[in-house]
Amino acid sequence: MERVDIRRWSKDALAIVLLFLAYFVTARFGLLLDAVAGFATLVWPPTGISLAALFLFGRRLWPGVLAGAFLVNLAAGASFPVALAIGAGNTLEALVGAWLLRRARFDPQLERIEDAIALVLLGAIASTAISAAIGAGSLRAGGTIPSAMLWPTARAWWLGDMLGDLVVAPLIFVWVARPRLARRGLMVAEAVLLLGLLATFSLRVFGGTAHEPGLLRQAYIVFPFLLWAALRFGPYGAVTAGFVVSVIAIAGTAMRLGPFVQDTLSESLLYLQTFLGVAAVTALTVAAAIAERSRAADVRDEFLAIASHELRTPLTALLLHIQTGLLRLRRGGPTAGRDEAVSQLESTQRLALRLGKLIGELLEVSRIVWGRFKPEREDVDLAALVHESLARQEQQLQHARCAVSFEVEGAVRGYWDRRRLDQLIDNLIGNAAKYGAGKPIEVRLQGRAGDVLLEVRDHGIGIDPADQARVFERFERAVSRKHFGGFGLGLWISRQIVEAHGGSISLVSSPGAGSTFSVALPRGG
Ligand code: ADP
């Protein structure tokens, strides 16, 4: 145990040192570019590096940010307290940014529009305001800048940090999180051609002298290439192309070249930053939209494959049962005993029920997706629903050799959608029998002050911690198709039902020991 701790500790220490170095070096580079008052600069890549590092590798790496920001400002001539305050502001910026992104369930693969938007609003705009406010405020408090310079300094600070989050952070996010990119012929050649053209045009635009305007020297010439990158190479294309354009544009503008040159460098950079920010946001959003569309197509294809397989298997078995029965009856031979006939019809019924359940799930999905999903509330006794569900599934439970115990504590009435709750309870008990065959199942209801708790516990195969969040998603399954049938829709539908009632569903499980699903349902009404 101790050895593991030491290894982890030294790994963290190494990561903190690396983060510190990356911060320090890129910050020094940023400060070279005409910093306002010597500290606030319009190019500040460390913000993006720290946001990505703290989000991807853990917020415990914050000392790397603090040390980097503190020392770089001390080296730039800030007094000890001012450097410390600025360092604290920059650290807080990264911590809050990473925390906000986690809360928003941001996915660093940047394959959904909501992720691109979260990065822009929570990272680039919100978290950076903290460091700009604290940084400019401490410079003012320390007497480094006059009051008149407070806003220009804060603005430069904010924009510089913003671009770090829009250009540098996505580059790290995507290349570390590695979204999927389907291989296709001549892909490398296309990438090289695209990068070559992008670099050539960027150099022409941002490397030309300001007095030499030409049709191809307009800044927006780079947009078709950014879109090409986003459309064909998804998030990889968007972040890489955005980075290349930014590097060339900043270098050109710093050398007083290109369309954004104004009287002073900080003014020029201000105009350039606005352009680069808009370009980065456009490319990120387009790439996310394209990725979303292609993933939807993948999910649909996979779903169709599973659906045809899942529906055909019970149907084939059902037909076989019916044919065998018919054959026996037609032959008119010694008619089977009553018991045998009953047991045969029972298994036929099981198959038909399973088919019915699958079709029900499919219909439910389309209803939810099309937004026709509002609970129809009425006075419901949850205990009665559980009894009914157990009666409905009696045969399956017997077949799975699962003894069920049911416990009720307190008042368990509320205003809910009766049919939907039937479905929810059926799903949870059905899963307990399916994945916990041969073991007992415990169902418990507990009336609490504002809500009712429903717990379904089994002692079956359990769910690996890595899969526990995923199983509530659409079509997600944690077992092989060979061993267990199913669409992977039951828990997703259950979650939709619970959330439509304003409640929550959670899971505690360990592989081999069983699972407990808990549903908290506010009484409503
Ligand atoms: P399905 O059972 O049709 O695959 P669900 O959405 O009901 O779909 O469940 C999703 C996945 O969650 C299942 O494929 C299975 O891996 C896992 N799972 C659900 N309930 C249990 C349970 N009680 N015990 C173990 N695994 C479960």
Side-chain angles (χ1 to χ4, degrees), residues 105-118:
R105 294 171 186 268
F106 169 76
D107 182 340
Q109 297 190 331
L110 283 166
E111 286 193 307
R112 300 174 306 176
I113 296 180
E114 62 203 76
D115 295 323
I117 292 176

Side-chain angles (χ1 to χ4, degrees), residues 431-432 434-435 458 461-463 471 476-479 486-492 515 517:
N431 275 351
K434 180 168 161 190
Y435 300 106
D458 65 57
I461 60 171
I463 304 177
V471 291
E476 292 288 0
R477 319 190 57 227
V479 285
F487 283 145
L489 283 174
L491 286 181
W492 181 71
S515 316
F517 285 87

Side-chain angles (χ1 to χ4, degrees), residues 180-408:
R180 221 169 47 83
L181 183 63
R183 300 205 172 278
R184 51 172 195 265
L186 295 180
M187 191 156 86
V188 177
E190 183 184 341
V192 171
L193 176 70
L194 170 57
L195 266 180
L197 286 172
L198 180 71
T200 310
F201 276 93
S202 303
L203 285 169
R204 269 190 74 81
V205 173
F206 298 104
T209 55
H211 319 292
E212 203 190 297
L215 284 182
L216 291 182
R217 290 193 192 279
Q218 315 285 339
Y220 52 75
I221 290 292
V222 300
F223 272 94
F225 299 102
L226 286 178
L227 292 181
W228 175 0
L231 290 174
R232 300 280 294 172
F233 298 93
Y236 290 100
V239 301
T240 315
F243 184 72
V244 169
V245 172
S246 301
V247 169
I248 296 177
I250 290 170
T253 309
M255 291 152 81
R256 300 200 59 74
L257 296 171
F260 293 108
V261 171
Q262 307 285 322
D263 289 344
T264 65
L265 177 54
S266 54
E267 237 184 302
S268 319
L269 286 175
L270 204 58
Y271 283 93
L272 173 66
Q273 300 294 57
T274 316
F275 170 78
L276 290 179
V278 171
V281 172
T282 309
L284 284 178
T285 321
V286 171
I290 294 295
E292 238 175 45
R293 204 182 61 173
S294 80
R295 219 195 18 224
D298 287 352
V299 167
R300 193 191 53 211
D301 290 350
E302 190 187 312
F303 170 68
L304 286 178
I306 295 183
S308 64
H309 171 262
E310 281 297 317
L311 291 176
R312 205 170 291 144
T313 317
L315 194 62
T316 314
L318 188 63
L319 284 174
L320 211 67
H321 267 252
I322 295 173
Q323 276 164 4
T324 328
L326 271 179
L327 210 64
R328 271 209 203 127
L329 286 175
R330 284 217 189 94
R331 278 211 193 113
T335 38
R338 206 180 113 89
D339 285 353
E340 202 183 319
V342 167
S343 110
Q344 199 192 347
L345 273 180
E346 273 175 0
S347 49
T348 311
Q349 189 188 28
R350 259 200 311 278
L351 286 167
L353 281 174
R354 172 150 172 233
L355 204 57
K357 179 170 173 282
L358 290 173
I359 293 171
E361 282 185 355
L362 288 182
L363 291 177
E364 202 58 46
V365 175
S366 50
R367 219 169 282 147
I368 295 174
V369 170
W370 288 334
R372 268 182 270 145
F373 190 54
K374 257 215 178 123
E376 288 165 19
R377 293 179 187 265
E378 58 183 306
D379 183 21
V380 172
D381 176 7
L382 209 51
L385 293 200
V386 172
H387 277 301
E388 285 164 25
S389 170
L390 289 174
R392 251 195 315 275
Q393 308 199 62
E394 193 186 352
Q395 253 199 41
Q396 277 120 297
L397 288 163
Q398 263 176 17
H399 190 69
R401 302 176 321 283
C402 288
V404 182
S405 70
F406 178 32
E407 217 178 84
V408 185

